[in-house]
Amino acid sequence: MLESLDARISSLAKSKSQANGHKQSETTPKAERKNISEAPCSTCSAHAQAICADLKDQEMDEIARNIRTRLVQTGQSVYREYEEAKYLYTVVTGEIRLANLLDDGRRQVTSFKTAGEVLGEQKNGYYQSDAEAVCDTVVCQIPIKILEKYLQEMPAMQTALTAKVLSEIHELRHHAILLGRKTPIEKIATFLVDRAEKLGGKDSVEVEVMLTMGRNDIADFLGLTIETVSRTITKMKNLGLLEVPSNHSIIIKDMAELENLAEGEK
Amino acid sequence: MLESLDARISSLAKSKSQANGHKQSETTPKAERKNISEAPCSTCSAHAQAICADLKDQEMDEIARNIRTRLVQTGQSVYREYEEAKYLYTVVTGEIRLANLLDDGRRQVTSFKTAGEVLGEQKNGYYQSDAEAVCDTVVCQIPIKILEKYLQEMPAMQTALTAKVLSEIHELRHHAILLGRKTPIEKIATFLVDRAEKLGGKDSVEVEVMLTMGRNDIADFLGLTIETVSRTITKMKNLGLLEVPSNHSIIIKDMAELENLAEGEK
DNA sequence: CGATTGGTTGAAGCCCATCAAGTCGGGTGG
DNA sequence: CCACCCGACTTGATGGGCTTCAACCAATCG
């Protein structure tokens, strides 16, 4: 079982280096940066939000020798549930979904991870979920063994990682209320508001929310069917709360009202 | 807001010491142990499962000077959401529920915590949920400030706490699948199997599962109504899977079948 | 231009929530 | 000791909302 997973990951690793070698895609401009000698960590677009943000130059140099970036194409997996946990990952660009499956194929997406967020939580040495790229995505990987050493030596990193983990717990709780107690319209509203908030645009009345993922991922994230997601969005569109210029973009027309809906008020 | 919460917590602290002084209840035999000079941590019934389990005697003595135990009576709260997070708690005896509320009163219980488990996760310095005693419960509290110092000095504690936190994340993910994708019967089956497992009795065919909480808490934990919980349990009873000798006890008659149900097989 | 993929819309049915009544048990007081 | 009460749980009847199944539509691609 685990051996086959190991085999799978090494084959993934191969396909990755092929991907890096073959194309210089303009959608993933940093894909070709395979190690740090070509482009220092300090220029990383996710640096400011990552757990290495507050480190000293000297510490960054030390870390830079041990990390690698990796391009993960749409639909490809970074790791799978029950696979041996060897790395902690940070999203550089793109988006990753964490998902768990039931035996009959039902799926629950537990989290979407964007630039600067970490993934790779383990349970007894094995990953807890499948991690798959929602769109072409670049992740930065650091071996767990090395990370543990650094955490001892670099308090700023320990602090930052602890904050990320506590934030993860908070999001999972937040999501539990959504899954267990909210109606479809409240779920969609919460999803959109949370995403707008993540992009820092919650203050304005009108915000465009980009959706890298498809309706299927949204449905599995919110515990709904794809049809209910679709119907609910059109209902909100008809109410004048949203505009939907394309499948991957939604414009919030009335943020205040959407926030009310998200919290179940009226 | 926060001041009133502080007032409330200090009044709780008072009622606690009264409770300690007045009765030597047999249901909470350790309630009278207010600090460590009266009974050393090493004799604590939760010690083996707690984050202090692997510490040296000398380290235990150090910690013992800074912790306090506290009796929390049924229905009383240990802390509330948005209250300033000053302590990390460990359950000694009894059971705590973590819950979050929507504005209109809908409630989601995100976790039940039993002996040895920790609670007190914060987000930006404030607790993330309400923590309330499901039955008379004793918790051990350590100030966050002091804990942070110890974590630096005592690697065994850091390791143990990290394991608890990762386990918490795992449980929340596990619970997300349940809330988002499982049917009522699968939810109840999962709930019972998980509880049996926690008590270490999953191997035997027939196990008695004690339920300290009421149907209401179970419903809010599983994202159901109390009626559906009740109906589902009687359905399983009629199928010969369970016996229900009292409201606070369920005997699993066919563990294997229940596990199948829990995973959605057939 | 057909084929495929992803999304929307429609119709029907079932499951769960809701509302309401009934039952059980534990505790209190007369 | 029993009558009573109260809270917790169970059971019943009903309706609505979500899922399911199915057809349709739009965009993308070979």
PDB file of all heavy atoms in Angstrom, chain B residues 116-133:
ATOM      1  N   GLY B 116      -7.155  14.337  29.523  1.00  0.00           N
ATOM      2  CA  GLY B 116      -5.859  14.430  28.872  1.00  0.00           C
ATOM      3  C   GLY B 116      -5.852  15.337  27.659  1.00  0.00           C
ATOM      4  O   GLY B 116      -4.786  15.739  27.184  1.00  0.00           O
ATOM      5  N   GLU B 117      -7.034  15.662  27.132  1.00  0.00           N
ATOM      6  CA  GLU B 117      -7.071  16.515  25.947  1.00  0.00           C
ATOM      7  C   GLU B 117      -6.988  17.984  26.345  1.00  0.00           C
ATOM      8  O   GLU B 117      -7.378  18.370  27.446  1.00  0.00           O
ATOM      9  CB  GLU B 117      -8.343  16.243  25.147  1.00  0.00           C
ATOM     10  CG  GLU B 117      -8.380  14.813  24.621  1.00  0.00           C
ATOM     11  CD  GLU B 117      -9.566  14.566  23.710  1.00  0.00           C
ATOM     12  OE1 GLU B 117     -10.714  14.614  24.177  1.00  0.00           O
ATOM     13  OE2 GLU B 117      -9.330  14.304  22.526  1.00  0.00           O
ATOM     14  N   VAL B 118      -6.472  18.783  25.429  1.00  0.00           N
ATOM     15  CA  VAL B 118      -6.281  20.201  25.727  1.00  0.00           C
ATOM     16  C   VAL B 118      -7.331  21.047  25.029  1.00  0.00           C
ATOM     17  O   VAL B 118      -7.879  20.657  23.996  1.00  0.00           O
ATOM     18  CB  VAL B 118      -4.874  20.683  25.291  1.00  0.00           C
ATOM     19  CG1 VAL B 118      -3.792  19.921  26.021  1.00  0.00           C
ATOM     20  CG2 VAL B 118      -4.705  20.580  23.797  1.00  0.00           C
ATOM     21  N   LEU B 119      -7.591  22.196  25.604  1.00  0.00           N
ATOM     22  CA  LEU B 119      -8.470  23.173  24.967  1.00  0.00           C
ATOM     23  C   LEU B 119      -7.965  24.572  25.280  1.00  0.00           C
ATOM     24  O   LEU B 119      -7.221  24.765  26.241  1.00  0.00           O
ATOM     25  CB  LEU B 119      -9.924  23.015  25.413  1.00  0.00           C
ATOM     26  CG  LEU B 119     -10.275  22.939  26.884  1.00  0.00           C
ATOM     27  CD1 LEU B 119     -11.601  23.638  27.129  1.00  0.00           C
ATOM     28  CD2 LEU B 119     -10.362  21.490  27.317  1.00  0.00           C
ATOM     29  N   GLY B 120      -8.379  25.512  24.451  1.00  0.00           N
ATOM     30  CA  GLY B 120      -7.963  26.888  24.665  1.00  0.00           C
ATOM     31  C   GLY B 120      -7.324  27.525  23.446  1.00  0.00           C
ATOM     32  O   GLY B 120      -6.613  28.513  23.555  1.00  0.00           O
ATOM     33  N   GLU B 121      -7.602  26.963  22.256  1.00  0.00           N
ATOM     34  CA  GLU B 121      -7.018  27.549  21.044  1.00  0.00           C
ATOM     35  C   GLU B 121      -7.482  28.982  20.870  1.00  0.00           C
ATOM     36  O   GLU B 121      -8.640  29.307  21.060  1.00  0.00           O
ATOM     37  CB  GLU B 121      -7.419  26.750  19.788  1.00  0.00           C
ATOM     38  CG  GLU B 121      -6.847  25.383  19.727  1.00  0.00           C
ATOM     39  CD  GLU B 121      -7.829  24.374  20.283  1.00  0.00           C
ATOM     40  OE1 GLU B 121      -8.827  24.785  20.926  1.00  0.00           O
ATOM     41  OE2 GLU B 121      -7.612  23.191  20.086  1.00  0.00           O
ATOM     42  N   GLN B 122      -6.539  29.805  20.484  1.00  0.00           N
ATOM     43  CA  GLN B 122      -6.844  31.220  20.326  1.00  0.00           C
ATOM     44  C   GLN B 122      -6.671  31.655  18.876  1.00  0.00           C
ATOM     45  O   GLN B 122      -6.059  30.971  18.066  1.00  0.00           O
ATOM     46  CB  GLN B 122      -5.909  32.037  21.202  1.00  0.00           C
ATOM     47  CG  GLN B 122      -4.445  31.660  21.014  1.00  0.00           C
ATOM     48  CD  GLN B 122      -3.561  32.562  21.822  1.00  0.00           C
ATOM     49  OE1 GLN B 122      -3.400  33.743  21.500  1.00  0.00           O
ATOM     50  NE2 GLN B 122      -2.996  32.038  22.885  1.00  0.00           N
ATOM     51  N   LYS B 123      -7.290  32.782  18.581  1.00  0.00           N
ATOM     52  CA  LYS B 123      -7.097  33.444  17.286  1.00  0.00           C
ATOM     53  C   LYS B 123      -6.854  34.900  17.613  1.00  0.00           C
ATOM     54  O   LYS B 123      -7.740  35.562  18.167  1.00  0.00           O
ATOM     55  CB  LYS B 123      -8.352  33.271  16.430  1.00  0.00           C
ATOM     56  CG  LYS B 123      -8.435  34.130  15.199  1.00  0.00           C
ATOM     57  CD  LYS B 123      -7.725  33.505  14.015  1.00  0.00           C
ATOM     58  CE  LYS B 123      -7.904  34.335  12.763  1.00  0.00           C
ATOM     59  NZ  LYS B 123      -7.182  33.766  11.605  1.00  0.00           N
ATOM     60  N   ASN B 124      -5.669  35.389  17.353  1.00  0.00           N
ATOM     61  CA  ASN B 124      -5.284  36.759  17.686  1.00  0.00           C
ATOM     62  C   ASN B 124      -5.496  37.082  19.165  1.00  0.00           C
ATOM     63  O   ASN B 124      -5.888  38.185  19.506  1.00  0.00           O
ATOM     64  CB  ASN B 124      -6.089  37.764  16.838  1.00  0.00           C
ATOM     65  CG  ASN B 124      -5.913  37.516  15.350  1.00  0.00           C
ATOM     66  OD1 ASN B 124      -4.848  37.099  14.916  1.00  0.00           O
ATOM     67  ND2 ASN B 124      -6.961  37.759  14.593  1.00  0.00           N
ATOM     68  N   GLY B 125      -5.243  36.105  19.998  1.00  0.00           N
ATOM     69  CA  GLY B 125      -5.308  36.357  21.428  1.00  0.00           C
ATOM     70  C   GLY B 125      -6.665  36.119  22.068  1.00  0.00           C
ATOM     71  O   GLY B 125      -6.821  36.290  23.275  1.00  0.00           O
ATOM     72  N   TYR B 126      -7.650  35.721  21.267  1.00  0.00           N
ATOM     73  CA  TYR B 126      -8.984  35.467  21.821  1.00  0.00           C
ATOM     74  C   TYR B 126      -9.418  34.031  21.526  1.00  0.00           C
ATOM     75  O   TYR B 126      -9.082  33.474  20.470  1.00  0.00           O
ATOM     76  CB  TYR B 126     -10.001  36.454  21.240  1.00  0.00           C
ATOM     77  CG  TYR B 126      -9.657  37.880  21.560  1.00  0.00           C
ATOM     78  CD1 TYR B 126      -8.988  38.677  20.641  1.00  0.00           C
ATOM     79  CD2 TYR B 126      -9.963  38.425  22.806  1.00  0.00           C
ATOM     80  CE1 TYR B 126      -8.631  39.987  20.951  1.00  0.00           C
ATOM     81  CE2 TYR B 126      -9.616  39.723  23.123  1.00  0.00           C
ATOM     82  CZ  TYR B 126      -8.947  40.509  22.198  1.00  0.00           C
ATOM     83  OH  TYR B 126      -8.601  41.793  22.520  1.00  0.00           O
ATOM     84  N   TYR B 127     -10.176  33.465  22.451  1.00  0.00           N
ATOM     85  CA  TYR B 127     -10.631  32.095  22.256  1.00  0.00           C
ATOM     86  C   TYR B 127     -11.551  31.995  21.038  1.00  0.00           C
ATOM     87  O   TYR B 127     -12.260  32.942  20.693  1.00  0.00           O
ATOM     88  CB  TYR B 127     -11.368  31.593  23.502  1.00  0.00           C
ATOM     89  CG  TYR B 127     -10.476  31.386  24.698  1.00  0.00           C
ATOM     90  CD1 TYR B 127     -10.702  32.057  25.888  1.00  0.00           C
ATOM     91  CD2 TYR B 127      -9.402  30.499  24.647  1.00  0.00           C
ATOM     92  CE1 TYR B 127      -9.891  31.868  27.001  1.00  0.00           C
ATOM     93  CE2 TYR B 127      -8.581  30.294  25.747  1.00  0.00           C
ATOM     94  CZ  TYR B 127      -8.829  30.984  26.916  1.00  0.00           C
ATOM     95  OH  TYR B 127      -8.022  30.792  28.004  1.00  0.00           O
ATOM     96  N   GLN B 128     -11.531  30.843  20.400  1.00  0.00           N
ATOM     97  CA  GLN B 128     -12.264  30.626  19.151  1.00  0.00           C
ATOM     98  C   GLN B 128     -13.683  30.104  19.367  1.00  0.00           C
ATOM     99  O   GLN B 128     -14.495  30.110  18.447  1.00  0.00           O
ATOM    100  CB  GLN B 128     -11.529  29.600  18.276  1.00  0.00           C
ATOM    101  CG  GLN B 128     -10.144  30.018  17.835  1.00  0.00           C
ATOM    102  CD  GLN B 128      -9.481  28.938  17.001  1.00  0.00           C
ATOM    103  OE1 GLN B 128     -10.109  27.936  16.667  1.00  0.00           O
ATOM    104  NE2 GLN B 128      -8.222  29.144  16.655  1.00  0.00           N
ATOM    105  N   SER B 129     -13.980  29.583  20.562  1.00  0.00           N
ATOM    106  CA  SER B 129     -15.277  28.934  20.793  1.00  0.00           C
ATOM    107  C   SER B 129     -15.691  29.100  22.243  1.00  0.00           C
ATOM    108  O   SER B 129     -14.904  29.537  23.075  1.00  0.00           O
ATOM    109  CB  SER B 129     -15.195  27.435  20.505  1.00  0.00           C
ATOM    110  OG  SER B 129     -14.261  27.132  19.525  1.00  0.00           O
ATOM    111  N   ASP B 130     -16.920  28.720  22.516  1.00  0.00           N
ATOM    112  CA  ASP B 130     -17.351  28.531  23.888  1.00  0.00           C
ATOM    113  C   ASP B 130     -16.894  27.154  24.341  1.00  0.00           C
ATOM    114  O   ASP B 130     -16.985  26.178  23.583  1.00  0.00           O
ATOM    115  CB  ASP B 130     -18.882  28.587  23.978  1.00  0.00           C
ATOM    116  CG  ASP B 130     -19.420  29.969  23.629  1.00  0.00           C
ATOM    117  OD1 ASP B 130     -18.687  30.948  23.809  1.00  0.00           O
ATOM    118  OD2 ASP B 130     -20.573  30.040  23.177  1.00  0.00           O
ATOM    119  N   ALA B 131     -16.416  27.068  25.576  1.00  0.00           N
ATOM    120  CA  ALA B 131     -16.052  25.776  26.151  1.00  0.00           C
ATOM    121  C   ALA B 131     -16.909  25.564  27.390  1.00  0.00           C
ATOM    122  O   ALA B 131     -16.834  26.351  28.337  1.00  0.00           O
ATOM    123  CB  ALA B 131     -14.573  25.743  26.514  1.00  0.00           C
ATOM    124  N   GLU B 132     -17.760  24.535  27.370  1.00  0.00           N
ATOM    125  CA  GLU B 132     -18.691  24.311  28.474  1.00  0.00           C
ATOM    126  C   GLU B 132     -18.620  22.875  28.967  1.00  0.00           C
ATOM    127  O   GLU B 132     -18.382  21.949  28.177  1.00  0.00           O
ATOM    128  CB  GLU B 132     -20.129  24.604  28.002  1.00  0.00           C
ATOM    129  CG  GLU B 132     -20.341  26.050  27.602  1.00  0.00           C
ATOM    130  CD  GLU B 132     -21.499  26.231  26.630  1.00  0.00           C
ATOM    131  OE1 GLU B 132     -21.867  25.240  25.959  1.00  0.00           O
ATOM    132  OE2 GLU B 132     -22.029  27.341  26.536  1.00  0.00           O
ATOM    133  N   ALA B 133     -18.865  22.717  30.245  1.00  0.00           N
ATOM    134  CA  ALA B 133     -18.811  21.382  30.837  1.00  0.00           C
ATOM    135  C   ALA B 133     -20.087  20.613  30.510  1.00  0.00           C
ATOM    136  O   ALA B 133     -21.194  21.094  30.732  1.00  0.00           O
ATOM    137  CB  ALA B 133     -18.637  21.494  32.347  1.00  0.00           C
TER     138      ALA B 133
END
